[in-house]
Amino acid sequence: MSRRWRRVAVPLALLLAALAWLQWAPLPASLQRVDYATLMLDRQGRPLAARIAGDQQWRFAPVTTVPDKYRRALLAFEDRRFPWHPGVDPVAIARAALANARAGRVVSGGSTLTMQLARLLRDDPPRTLDEKAREALLALRLEWHLSKGEILAEYASRAPFGGNTVGLRAAAWRYFRRPPEALSWAEAALLAVLPNSPALIHPGRDRARLRAKRDRLLARLHEQGELDADDLALARLEPLPRVHELPSLAPRLLDTLSADGGGPLLRTTLDADLQRRVRELAGRHGRRLGRQGVHNLAVVVIDHRDLETRAYLGNVQHGDGDTYGAAVDIASRPRSTGSVLKPLLYGLMLDAGLILPDTLIPDLPTNYGGYSPENFDREYRGAVPAHEALARSLNVPAVRLLRRYGVGRFHDQLRELGMTTLFRPADDYGLTLVLGGAEGTLEELTGIYARLIATARDGQAAPVTRLAGITPVAEPFPISPGAAWLTLDALRDVARPGTARQWRLYRSSQPIAWKTGTSYGLRDAWAIGSNGRYTVGVWAGNGNGEPAPHLGGADTAAPLMLDVFSLLGPAPFPEPPLNDLKQVRVCADDGYLAGGRCQANTVLAPLHGHFQTVTPHHRRVHLDGNGQRVHGGCQAVAAMHSRDWFVLPPAQAWFYRQRHPDYRPLPAWRSDCLAGARALDADPPMAVLYPHAGAGLYIPRELGGRRGQAVFRVVHERADARLFWHLDDRYLGVTEHFHEWALRADPGWHTLTLVDDQGFRLQRRFKVLGD
């Protein structure tokens, strides 16, 4: 029994040991640790950019399955019994041994595809009998752990295809400019035979041998019934390929996505054809701007239909070297926003019921705690409709609106809109938040504008994506469809460079809602716009932050943006979302709710915005037969007639009438009515433009050491009014028509008193600061 047991136990023990070895013996670490090159594809699977692996090999992400044509060609050439053998083919080994014996040298190795994979995993060691045995043992372990399909995919992803091209995916793109799945029979056959003689692919080598090997394999496939005679003839006519350079259409995006851990194969939503054309267009504009000291451009194009990025130029530099940061992905880096946040404030205030499109916003010299914003043209308009202030990108009205809306509230809403770059507390930004005091990225801001128009069109909008296969999480957009459409409608009236607003006269011109911005110090120029299908964002400047004297959103970034829209072609602008809008009656003069004392118009407003302010600028006045103002104390009621009058505050009126010659100030009071008039008019008919209330003034000393003077400026509703000036208790003099006075005052608090020729009085406190 013991001998019989030993005869059974020994083979059984050996079998169990073999099984244990197959199951638990470690596979080569190289099966998992591979240094891949990075390949970025567009939405149709076409290459956009690539970066070589750290070992300088073009080794792209492995294929998960082997295309059918390549699989059939590979098995016909290398290993016809691959589906059935366990990793080692005894028939092939016997045939190879016989062939080698007859030749007196090694002419065949009898290796299976699994053994060839084993050799690749072991860094292609010398082809000795010992190494061949080790390959066979590793092949058995591979077959034990991997399926036949996985083994084929691993081999195809590691096979050498000439030079530094490794793997089927890299070979297909570098030789044929297409993915492996799209290979023809001739191409698949060539790649099946190429790892056997990879050096033959290069010009100057015996490429005729490579062609002959390919054609013999094609003939074998024909004999096996894989392709018919016509397919065989056509396949033989295909020329041998040459090595193609991989495109570099979006290198900065490749850098950004790689840094974000995107992996070796990046599938994006970009369109390679559009990317190439936009890049060429940006190159032409870059050459023009380079002569003006502007060396960097960035462009982002987003499709509204699915809110996916179609073109992304992270940085196009015109100039030598890396002086201006050519390697920086500027489209994803924070830059000063300039004025491009103004439309977002406008839309939020429409929804909050704080303004309507025609509501007049003050535009006059302004000071908030020492901060004095100025319009780009350094002029004032007194009062301007909100939509016009937005279209003209006026800074003073924007700051006044932000102060009313609240900096903290706007700060929080911007983060909800998608700005991730607001890393400081709201108070740190202050009122400059709407004028470029914050930083944003071109990618995010273009995405916000795209969501704005998508919301106006569809009622909702998910975040923008740039990587294919990613479904963004739907987030509520804090601007309603009605407010979004009204905002875009205001932006359609922005004057285009060189055309003013005459673009509307041309049928070929497409409606574009767009906004420009220029940062403080002339470092960043922006232009972001939307037509019916696309949103295009452009940034221009110098990547190193160097200012450019000629930099400006309208003149620098906008021409490129408009040319990109011409490239994209026209698209119908979204119709107003009437279900999210309502009609309200407002005064034609000031855009406030009509209170029965003005000529009224009907305008659109957000459905859920509750604007409730009745016009404060229309007053009912009583006149005598000569057109002078009277009241019941100096004129019989039957002898007076009433009239509704559009009246702006004195400071606003003074600037407003310079641009509106039809504006008529209130008539003067009749002399015998003045006693009661001052009680009826609670606010004096004049205003101090400078200094601002409670302001602190530095008055410099002159060359002789004497304290200098500060020029005070006052405006009056009546052009013929006379003003009497008093500083503290001292009378200074009188002015007519133009009311300015150069004052000299010692350090400390002072009171300026003004009295007009009808007895109306105004006082202003100010402080002269010491030396």
Side-chain angles (χ1 to χ4, degrees), residues 68-77 184-186 188-190 192 214-228 232 235:
D68 186 62
K69 289 180 181 177
Y70 176 74
R71 180 182 63 82
R72 293 170 183 267
L74 181 63
L75 296 186
F77 181 74
S184 68
W185 275 113
L190 180 76
R214 181 201 71 177
D215 291 349
R216 284 195 298 271
L217 176 56
L218 288 171
R220 186 183 304 172
L221 290 168
H222 171 63
E223 293 170 359
Q224 295 176 359
E226 302 290 356
L227 67 165
D228 58 30
L232 174 63

PDB file of all heavy atoms in Angstrom, residues 68-77 184-186 188-190 192 214-228 232 235:
ATOM      1  N   ASP A  68     -10.842  43.492 -34.828  1.00  0.00           N
ATOM      2  CA  ASP A  68     -11.020  42.183 -35.451  1.00  0.00           C
ATOM      3  C   ASP A  68     -10.036  41.947 -36.597  1.00  0.00           C
ATOM      4  O   ASP A  68      -9.433  40.873 -36.697  1.00  0.00           O
ATOM      5  CB  ASP A  68     -12.455  42.051 -35.954  1.00  0.00           C
ATOM      6  CG  ASP A  68     -12.748  40.660 -36.471  1.00  0.00           C
ATOM      7  OD1 ASP A  68     -12.673  39.700 -35.677  1.00  0.00           O
ATOM      8  OD2 ASP A  68     -13.024  40.524 -37.682  1.00  0.00           O
ATOM      9  N   LYS A  69      -9.847  42.926 -37.479  1.00  0.00           N
ATOM     10  CA  LYS A  69      -8.945  42.731 -38.623  1.00  0.00           C
ATOM     11  C   LYS A  69      -7.515  42.494 -38.155  1.00  0.00           C
ATOM     12  O   LYS A  69      -6.815  41.603 -38.676  1.00  0.00           O
ATOM     13  CB  LYS A  69      -9.004  43.937 -39.562  1.00  0.00           C
ATOM     14  CG  LYS A  69     -10.308  44.060 -40.338  1.00  0.00           C
ATOM     15  CD  LYS A  69     -10.290  45.272 -41.247  1.00  0.00           C
ATOM     16  CE  LYS A  69     -11.619  45.400 -42.005  1.00  0.00           C
ATOM     17  NZ  LYS A  69     -11.654  46.610 -42.855  1.00  0.00           N
ATOM     18  N   TYR A  70      -7.090  43.282 -37.191  1.00  0.00           N
ATOM     19  CA  TYR A  70      -5.731  43.100 -36.685  1.00  0.00           C
ATOM     20  C   TYR A  70      -5.596  41.752 -35.985  1.00  0.00           C
ATOM     21  O   TYR A  70      -4.573  41.052 -36.131  1.00  0.00           O
ATOM     22  CB  TYR A  70      -5.377  44.239 -35.729  1.00  0.00           C
ATOM     23  CG  TYR A  70      -4.020  44.077 -35.085  1.00  0.00           C
ATOM     24  CD1 TYR A  70      -2.861  44.308 -35.811  1.00  0.00           C
ATOM     25  CD2 TYR A  70      -3.902  43.669 -33.773  1.00  0.00           C
ATOM     26  CE1 TYR A  70      -1.606  44.154 -35.233  1.00  0.00           C
ATOM     27  CE2 TYR A  70      -2.656  43.512 -33.175  1.00  0.00           C
ATOM     28  CZ  TYR A  70      -1.517  43.752 -33.915  1.00  0.00           C
ATOM     29  OH  TYR A  70      -0.281  43.580 -33.333  1.00  0.00           O
ATOM     30  N   ARG A  71      -6.607  41.327 -35.214  1.00  0.00           N
ATOM     31  CA  ARG A  71      -6.546  40.043 -34.527  1.00  0.00           C
ATOM     32  C   ARG A  71      -6.415  38.897 -35.531  1.00  0.00           C
ATOM     33  O   ARG A  71      -5.566  38.007 -35.358  1.00  0.00           O
ATOM     34  CB  ARG A  71      -7.811  39.858 -33.677  1.00  0.00           C
ATOM     35  CG  ARG A  71      -7.845  38.531 -32.912  1.00  0.00           C
ATOM     36  CD  ARG A  71      -9.146  38.390 -32.141  1.00  0.00           C
ATOM     37  NE  ARG A  71     -10.291  38.361 -33.042  1.00  0.00           N
ATOM     38  CZ  ARG A  71     -10.713  37.285 -33.697  1.00  0.00           C
ATOM     39  NH1 ARG A  71     -10.055  36.131 -33.583  1.00  0.00           N
ATOM     40  NH2 ARG A  71     -11.754  37.352 -34.497  1.00  0.00           N
ATOM     41  N   ARG A  72      -7.215  38.929 -36.594  1.00  0.00           N
ATOM     42  CA  ARG A  72      -7.155  37.859 -37.587  1.00  0.00           C
ATOM     43  C   ARG A  72      -5.795  37.834 -38.292  1.00  0.00           C
ATOM     44  O   ARG A  72      -5.205  36.768 -38.533  1.00  0.00           O
ATOM     45  CB  ARG A  72      -8.274  38.022 -38.606  1.00  0.00           C
ATOM     46  CG  ARG A  72      -9.667  37.821 -38.013  1.00  0.00           C
ATOM     47  CD  ARG A  72     -10.748  38.231 -39.030  1.00  0.00           C
ATOM     48  NE  ARG A  72     -12.073  38.121 -38.461  1.00  0.00           N
ATOM     49  CZ  ARG A  72     -12.855  37.044 -38.556  1.00  0.00           C
ATOM     50  NH1 ARG A  72     -12.420  35.963 -39.189  1.00  0.00           N
ATOM     51  NH2 ARG A  72     -14.057  37.027 -38.012  1.00  0.00           N
ATOM     52  N   ALA A  73      -5.296  39.039 -38.640  1.00  0.00           N
ATOM     53  CA  ALA A  73      -4.003  39.105 -39.316  1.00  0.00           C
ATOM     54  C   ALA A  73      -2.879  38.643 -38.398  1.00  0.00           C
ATOM     55  O   ALA A  73      -1.962  37.911 -38.825  1.00  0.00           O
ATOM     56  CB  ALA A  73      -3.750  40.528 -39.807  1.00  0.00           C
ATOM     57  N   LEU A  74      -2.931  39.055 -37.147  1.00  0.00           N
ATOM     58  CA  LEU A  74      -1.876  38.698 -36.201  1.00  0.00           C
ATOM     59  C   LEU A  74      -1.842  37.185 -35.965  1.00  0.00           C
ATOM     60  O   LEU A  74      -0.757  36.574 -35.971  1.00  0.00           O
ATOM     61  CB  LEU A  74      -2.104  39.440 -34.877  1.00  0.00           C
ATOM     62  CG  LEU A  74      -1.077  39.193 -33.787  1.00  0.00           C
ATOM     63  CD1 LEU A  74       0.299  39.691 -34.219  1.00  0.00           C
ATOM     64  CD2 LEU A  74      -1.501  39.878 -32.482  1.00  0.00           C
ATOM     65  N   LEU A  75      -2.992  36.577 -35.743  1.00  0.00           N
ATOM     66  CA  LEU A  75      -3.006  35.135 -35.501  1.00  0.00           C
ATOM     67  C   LEU A  75      -2.577  34.360 -36.736  1.00  0.00           C
ATOM     68  O   LEU A  75      -1.879  33.342 -36.636  1.00  0.00           O
ATOM     69  CB  LEU A  75      -4.401  34.697 -35.057  1.00  0.00           C
ATOM     70  CG  LEU A  75      -4.889  35.261 -33.717  1.00  0.00           C
ATOM     71  CD1 LEU A  75      -6.217  34.641 -33.326  1.00  0.00           C
ATOM     72  CD2 LEU A  75      -3.852  35.029 -32.619  1.00  0.00           C
ATOM     73  N   ALA A  76      -2.959  34.831 -37.914  1.00  0.00           N
ATOM     74  CA  ALA A  76      -2.544  34.148 -39.143  1.00  0.00           C
ATOM     75  C   ALA A  76      -1.039  34.219 -39.335  1.00  0.00           C
ATOM     76  O   ALA A  76      -0.423  33.290 -39.874  1.00  0.00           O
ATOM     77  CB  ALA A  76      -3.260  34.764 -40.347  1.00  0.00           C
ATOM     78  N   PHE A  77      -0.428  35.270 -38.893  1.00  0.00           N
ATOM     79  CA  PHE A  77       1.012  35.449 -39.095  1.00  0.00           C
ATOM     80  C   PHE A  77       1.835  34.828 -37.972  1.00  0.00           C
ATOM     81  O   PHE A  77       2.878  34.218 -38.217  1.00  0.00           O
ATOM     82  CB  PHE A  77       1.338  36.934 -39.204  1.00  0.00           C
ATOM     83  CG  PHE A  77       2.793  37.225 -39.443  1.00  0.00           C
ATOM     84  CD1 PHE A  77       3.366  36.987 -40.692  1.00  0.00           C
ATOM     85  CD2 PHE A  77       3.601  37.720 -38.418  1.00  0.00           C
ATOM     86  CE1 PHE A  77       4.712  37.247 -40.903  1.00  0.00           C
ATOM     87  CE2 PHE A  77       4.946  37.976 -38.628  1.00  0.00           C
ATOM     88  CZ  PHE A  77       5.502  37.742 -39.877  1.00  0.00           C
ATOM     89  N   SER A 184      -7.493  49.431 -42.190  1.00  0.00           N
ATOM     90  CA  SER A 184      -7.884  48.595 -43.326  1.00  0.00           C
ATOM     91  C   SER A 184      -7.181  47.241 -43.222  1.00  0.00           C
ATOM     92  O   SER A 184      -6.312  47.022 -42.363  1.00  0.00           O
ATOM     93  CB  SER A 184      -7.509  49.279 -44.636  1.00  0.00           C
ATOM     94  OG  SER A 184      -6.087  49.334 -44.777  1.00  0.00           O
ATOM     95  N   TRP A 185      -7.528  46.307 -44.137  1.00  0.00           N
ATOM     96  CA  TRP A 185      -6.868  44.997 -44.142  1.00  0.00           C
ATOM     97  C   TRP A 185      -5.371  45.149 -44.386  1.00  0.00           C
ATOM     98  O   TRP A 185      -4.558  44.503 -43.728  1.00  0.00           O
ATOM     99  CB  TRP A 185      -7.485  44.087 -45.203  1.00  0.00           C
ATOM    100  CG  TRP A 185      -8.706  43.360 -44.733  1.00  0.00           C
ATOM    101  CD1 TRP A 185      -9.979  43.516 -45.163  1.00  0.00           C
ATOM    102  CD2 TRP A 185      -8.749  42.329 -43.735  1.00  0.00           C
ATOM    103  NE1 TRP A 185     -10.831  42.671 -44.493  1.00  0.00           N
ATOM    104  CE2 TRP A 185     -10.088  41.917 -43.615  1.00  0.00           C
ATOM    105  CE3 TRP A 185      -7.787  41.711 -42.934  1.00  0.00           C
ATOM    106  CZ2 TRP A 185     -10.508  40.935 -42.724  1.00  0.00           C
ATOM    107  CZ3 TRP A 185      -8.185  40.718 -42.046  1.00  0.00           C
ATOM    108  CH2 TRP A 185      -9.536  40.338 -41.947  1.00  0.00           C
ATOM    109  N   ALA A 186      -4.991  46.011 -45.321  1.00  0.00           N
ATOM    110  CA  ALA A 186      -3.567  46.189 -45.617  1.00  0.00           C
ATOM    111  C   ALA A 186      -2.837  46.777 -44.418  1.00  0.00           C
ATOM    112  O   ALA A 186      -1.717  46.374 -44.086  1.00  0.00           O
ATOM    113  CB  ALA A 186      -3.397  47.085 -46.846  1.00  0.00           C
ATOM    114  N   ALA A 188      -3.804  46.616 -41.209  1.00  0.00           N
ATOM    115  CA  ALA A 188      -3.767  45.623 -40.131  1.00  0.00           C
ATOM    116  C   ALA A 188      -2.692  44.568 -40.403  1.00  0.00           C
ATOM    117  O   ALA A 188      -1.962  44.146 -39.488  1.00  0.00           O
ATOM    118  CB  ALA A 188      -5.140  44.969 -39.987  1.00  0.00           C
ATOM    119  N   ALA A 189      -2.570  44.130 -41.662  1.00  0.00           N
ATOM    120  CA  ALA A 189      -1.561  43.135 -41.999  1.00  0.00           C
ATOM    121  C   ALA A 189      -0.164  43.689 -41.806  1.00  0.00           C
ATOM    122  O   ALA A 189       0.740  42.985 -41.318  1.00  0.00           O
ATOM    123  CB  ALA A 189      -1.764  42.663 -43.438  1.00  0.00           C
ATOM    124  N   LEU A 190       0.051  44.929 -42.199  1.00  0.00           N
ATOM    125  CA  LEU A 190       1.369  45.535 -42.025  1.00  0.00           C
ATOM    126  C   LEU A 190       1.753  45.571 -40.549  1.00  0.00           C
ATOM    127  O   LEU A 190       2.883  45.229 -40.176  1.00  0.00           O
ATOM    128  CB  LEU A 190       1.381  46.944 -42.609  1.00  0.00           C
ATOM    129  CG  LEU A 190       2.720  47.663 -42.471  1.00  0.00           C
ATOM    130  CD1 LEU A 190       3.706  47.129 -43.486  1.00  0.00           C
ATOM    131  CD2 LEU A 190       2.558  49.165 -42.626  1.00  0.00           C
ATOM    132  N   ALA A 192       0.664  43.678 -38.256  1.00  0.00           N
ATOM    133  CA  ALA A 192       0.832  42.324 -37.740  1.00  0.00           C
ATOM    134  C   ALA A 192       2.238  41.805 -37.991  1.00  0.00           C
ATOM    135  O   ALA A 192       2.814  41.096 -37.155  1.00  0.00           O
ATOM    136  CB  ALA A 192      -0.203  41.395 -38.368  1.00  0.00           C
ATOM    137  N   ARG A 214       4.016  41.825 -45.918  1.00  0.00           N
ATOM    138  CA  ARG A 214       2.611  42.207 -45.792  1.00  0.00           C
ATOM    139  C   ARG A 214       1.754  41.507 -46.841  1.00  0.00           C
ATOM    140  O   ARG A 214       0.682  40.953 -46.535  1.00  0.00           O
ATOM    141  CB  ARG A 214       2.462  43.725 -45.932  1.00  0.00           C
ATOM    142  CG  ARG A 214       1.039  44.228 -45.796  1.00  0.00           C
ATOM    143  CD  ARG A 214       0.854  45.595 -46.428  1.00  0.00           C
ATOM    144  NE  ARG A 214       0.910  45.509 -47.896  1.00  0.00           N
ATOM    145  CZ  ARG A 214       0.710  46.570 -48.695  1.00  0.00           C
ATOM    146  NH1 ARG A 214       0.494  47.760 -48.177  1.00  0.00           N
ATOM    147  NH2 ARG A 214       0.774  46.409 -50.006  1.00  0.00           N
ATOM    148  N   ASP A 215       2.238  41.508 -48.089  1.00  0.00           N
ATOM    149  CA  ASP A 215       1.439  40.917 -49.174  1.00  0.00           C
ATOM    150  C   ASP A 215       1.303  39.408 -49.007  1.00  0.00           C
ATOM    151  O   ASP A 215       0.265  38.825 -49.361  1.00  0.00           O
ATOM    152  CB  ASP A 215       2.061  41.266 -50.526  1.00  0.00           C
ATOM    153  CG  ASP A 215       1.914  42.747 -50.850  1.00  0.00           C
ATOM    154  OD1 ASP A 215       1.151  43.430 -50.128  1.00  0.00           O
ATOM    155  OD2 ASP A 215       2.555  43.224 -51.806  1.00  0.00           O
ATOM    156  N   ARG A 216       2.340  38.741 -48.503  1.00  0.00           N
ATOM    157  CA  ARG A 216       2.231  37.301 -48.261  1.00  0.00           C
ATOM    158  C   ARG A 216       1.175  37.012 -47.195  1.00  0.00           C
ATOM    159  O   ARG A 216       0.406  36.041 -47.316  1.00  0.00           O
ATOM    160  CB  ARG A 216       3.584  36.722 -47.849  1.00  0.00           C
ATOM    161  CG  ARG A 216       4.575  36.556 -48.989  1.00  0.00           C
ATOM    162  CD  ARG A 216       5.729  35.649 -48.601  1.00  0.00           C
ATOM    163  NE  ARG A 216       6.508  36.172 -47.504  1.00  0.00           N
ATOM    164  CZ  ARG A 216       7.560  36.978 -47.641  1.00  0.00           C
ATOM    165  NH1 ARG A 216       7.942  37.366 -48.862  1.00  0.00           N
ATOM    166  NH2 ARG A 216       8.227  37.403 -46.592  1.00  0.00           N
ATOM    167  N   LEU A 217       1.141  37.855 -46.178  1.00  0.00           N
ATOM    168  CA  LEU A 217       0.121  37.668 -45.142  1.00  0.00           C
ATOM    169  C   LEU A 217      -1.270  37.918 -45.710  1.00  0.00           C
ATOM    170  O   LEU A 217      -2.230  37.196 -45.389  1.00  0.00           O
ATOM    171  CB  LEU A 217       0.393  38.596 -43.957  1.00  0.00           C
ATOM    172  CG  LEU A 217      -0.651  38.567 -42.834  1.00  0.00           C
ATOM    173  CD1 LEU A 217      -0.845  37.147 -42.305  1.00  0.00           C
ATOM    174  CD2 LEU A 217      -0.249  39.505 -41.697  1.00  0.00           C
ATOM    175  N   LEU A 218      -1.400  38.946 -46.568  1.00  0.00           N
ATOM    176  CA  LEU A 218      -2.703  39.202 -47.184  1.00  0.00           C
ATOM    177  C   LEU A 218      -3.141  38.002 -48.021  1.00  0.00           C
ATOM    178  O   LEU A 218      -4.328  37.613 -48.018  1.00  0.00           O
ATOM    179  CB  LEU A 218      -2.629  40.460 -48.052  1.00  0.00           C
ATOM    180  CG  LEU A 218      -2.541  41.793 -47.294  1.00  0.00           C
ATOM    181  CD1 LEU A 218      -2.245  42.934 -48.255  1.00  0.00           C
ATOM    182  CD2 LEU A 218      -3.822  42.065 -46.523  1.00  0.00           C
ATOM    183  N   ALA A 219      -2.206  37.397 -48.731  1.00  0.00           N
ATOM    184  CA  ALA A 219      -2.534  36.213 -49.534  1.00  0.00           C
ATOM    185  C   ALA A 219      -2.978  35.060 -48.641  1.00  0.00           C
ATOM    186  O   ALA A 219      -3.921  34.318 -48.962  1.00  0.00           O
ATOM    187  CB  ALA A 219      -1.335  35.822 -50.383  1.00  0.00           C
ATOM    188  N   ARG A 220      -2.307  34.912 -47.493  1.00  0.00           N
ATOM    189  CA  ARG A 220      -2.703  33.859 -46.567  1.00  0.00           C
ATOM    190  C   ARG A 220      -4.116  34.111 -46.023  1.00  0.00           C
ATOM    191  O   ARG A 220      -4.923  33.178 -45.883  1.00  0.00           O
ATOM    192  CB  ARG A 220      -1.699  33.771 -45.418  1.00  0.00           C
ATOM    193  CG  ARG A 220      -1.939  32.604 -44.467  1.00  0.00           C
ATOM    194  CD  ARG A 220      -0.955  32.624 -43.319  1.00  0.00           C
ATOM    195  NE  ARG A 220       0.428  32.624 -43.809  1.00  0.00           N
ATOM    196  CZ  ARG A 220       1.484  32.795 -43.017  1.00  0.00           C
ATOM    197  NH1 ARG A 220       1.298  32.995 -41.713  1.00  0.00           N
ATOM    198  NH2 ARG A 220       2.696  32.793 -43.531  1.00  0.00           N
ATOM    199  N   LEU A 221      -4.405  35.360 -45.720  1.00  0.00           N
ATOM    200  CA  LEU A 221      -5.750  35.687 -45.237  1.00  0.00           C
ATOM    201  C   LEU A 221      -6.799  35.396 -46.313  1.00  0.00           C
ATOM    202  O   LEU A 221      -7.916  34.963 -46.009  1.00  0.00           O
ATOM    203  CB  LEU A 221      -5.808  37.162 -44.803  1.00  0.00           C
ATOM    204  CG  LEU A 221      -5.029  37.517 -43.526  1.00  0.00           C
ATOM    205  CD1 LEU A 221      -4.919  39.037 -43.374  1.00  0.00           C
ATOM    206  CD2 LEU A 221      -5.703  36.896 -42.309  1.00  0.00           C
ATOM    207  N   HIS A 222      -6.422  35.642 -47.563  1.00  0.00           N
ATOM    208  CA  HIS A 222      -7.342  35.320 -48.667  1.00  0.00           C
ATOM    209  C   HIS A 222      -7.563  33.809 -48.751  1.00  0.00           C
ATOM    210  O   HIS A 222      -8.700  33.343 -48.937  1.00  0.00           O
ATOM    211  CB  HIS A 222      -6.767  35.865 -49.975  1.00  0.00           C
ATOM    212  CG  HIS A 222      -7.526  35.411 -51.186  1.00  0.00           C
ATOM    213  ND1 HIS A 222      -8.841  35.736 -51.423  1.00  0.00           N
ATOM    214  CD2 HIS A 222      -7.132  34.631 -52.238  1.00  0.00           C
ATOM    215  CE1 HIS A 222      -9.243  35.197 -52.555  1.00  0.00           C
ATOM    216  NE2 HIS A 222      -8.221  34.507 -53.078  1.00  0.00           N
ATOM    217  N   GLU A 223      -6.482  33.047 -48.598  1.00  0.00           N
ATOM    218  CA  GLU A 223      -6.618  31.593 -48.646  1.00  0.00           C
ATOM    219  C   GLU A 223      -7.498  31.072 -47.512  1.00  0.00           C
ATOM    220  O   GLU A 223      -8.218  30.085 -47.673  1.00  0.00           O
ATOM    221  CB  GLU A 223      -5.231  30.952 -48.561  1.00  0.00           C
ATOM    222  CG  GLU A 223      -4.354  31.223 -49.773  1.00  0.00           C
ATOM    223  CD  GLU A 223      -2.922  30.777 -49.553  1.00  0.00           C
ATOM    224  OE1 GLU A 223      -2.643  30.268 -48.429  1.00  0.00           O
ATOM    225  OE2 GLU A 223      -2.097  30.942 -50.472  1.00  0.00           O
ATOM    226  N   GLN A 224      -7.451  31.759 -46.359  1.00  0.00           N
ATOM    227  CA  GLN A 224      -8.254  31.340 -45.212  1.00  0.00           C
ATOM    228  C   GLN A 224      -9.691  31.844 -45.305  1.00  0.00           C
ATOM    229  O   GLN A 224     -10.490  31.577 -44.398  1.00  0.00           O
ATOM    230  CB  GLN A 224      -7.610  31.828 -43.909  1.00  0.00           C
ATOM    231  CG  GLN A 224      -6.251  31.197 -43.633  1.00  0.00           C
ATOM    232  CD  GLN A 224      -5.590  31.781 -42.392  1.00  0.00           C
ATOM    233  OE1 GLN A 224      -6.135  32.677 -41.744  1.00  0.00           O
ATOM    234  NE2 GLN A 224      -4.417  31.256 -42.057  1.00  0.00           N
ATOM    235  N   GLY A 225      -9.988  32.588 -46.351  1.00  0.00           N
ATOM    236  CA  GLY A 225     -11.343  33.074 -46.529  1.00  0.00           C
ATOM    237  C   GLY A 225     -11.673  34.342 -45.764  1.00  0.00           C
ATOM    238  O   GLY A 225     -12.851  34.718 -45.640  1.00  0.00           O
ATOM    239  N   GLU A 226     -10.657  35.040 -45.262  1.00  0.00           N
ATOM    240  CA  GLU A 226     -10.898  36.257 -44.497  1.00  0.00           C
ATOM    241  C   GLU A 226     -11.226  37.453 -45.395  1.00  0.00           C
ATOM    242  O   GLU A 226     -11.931  38.369 -44.975  1.00  0.00           O
ATOM    243  CB  GLU A 226      -9.671  36.593 -43.635  1.00  0.00           C
ATOM    244  CG  GLU A 226      -9.275  35.503 -42.656  1.00  0.00           C
ATOM    245  CD  GLU A 226     -10.287  35.345 -41.532  1.00  0.00           C
ATOM    246  OE1 GLU A 226     -11.247  36.137 -41.469  1.00  0.00           O
ATOM    247  OE2 GLU A 226     -10.139  34.415 -40.715  1.00  0.00           O
ATOM    248  N   LEU A 227     -10.700  37.487 -46.629  1.00  0.00           N
ATOM    249  CA  LEU A 227     -11.015  38.569 -47.565  1.00  0.00           C
ATOM    250  C   LEU A 227     -11.065  37.989 -48.974  1.00  0.00           C
ATOM    251  O   LEU A 227     -10.330  37.046 -49.296  1.00  0.00           O
ATOM    252  CB  LEU A 227     -10.015  39.722 -47.477  1.00  0.00           C
ATOM    253  CG  LEU A 227      -8.571  39.533 -47.915  1.00  0.00           C
ATOM    254  CD1 LEU A 227      -7.906  40.897 -48.069  1.00  0.00           C
ATOM    255  CD2 LEU A 227      -7.787  38.727 -46.927  1.00  0.00           C
ATOM    256  N   ASP A 228     -11.933  38.569 -49.806  1.00  0.00           N
ATOM    257  CA  ASP A 228     -12.125  38.028 -51.145  1.00  0.00           C
ATOM    258  C   ASP A 228     -11.058  38.562 -52.098  1.00  0.00           C
ATOM    259  O   ASP A 228     -10.180  39.344 -51.711  1.00  0.00           O
ATOM    260  CB  ASP A 228     -13.535  38.329 -51.659  1.00  0.00           C
ATOM    261  CG  ASP A 228     -13.828  39.832 -51.686  1.00  0.00           C
ATOM    262  OD1 ASP A 228     -12.873  40.627 -51.869  1.00  0.00           O
ATOM    263  OD2 ASP A 228     -15.004  40.205 -51.538  1.00  0.00           O
ATOM    264  N   LEU A 232      -8.379  41.636 -51.696  1.00  0.00           N
ATOM    265  CA  LEU A 232      -6.954  41.335 -51.746  1.00  0.00           C
ATOM    266  C   LEU A 232      -6.242  42.238 -52.749  1.00  0.00           C
ATOM    267  O   LEU A 232      -5.178  42.799 -52.444  1.00  0.00           O
ATOM    268  CB  LEU A 232      -6.752  39.867 -52.106  1.00  0.00           C
ATOM    269  CG  LEU A 232      -5.298  39.425 -52.342  1.00  0.00           C
ATOM    270  CD1 LEU A 232      -4.477  39.590 -51.066  1.00  0.00           C
ATOM    271  CD2 LEU A 232      -5.251  37.969 -52.842  1.00  0.00           C
ATOM    272  N   ALA A 235      -6.064  45.755 -51.370  1.00  0.00           N
ATOM    273  CA  ALA A 235      -5.149  45.862 -50.242  1.00  0.00           C
ATOM    274  C   ALA A 235      -3.701  45.903 -50.702  1.00  0.00           C
ATOM    275  O   ALA A 235      -2.871  46.633 -50.154  1.00  0.00           O
ATOM    276  CB  ALA A 235      -5.379  44.697 -49.281  1.00  0.00           C
TER     277      ALA A 235
END
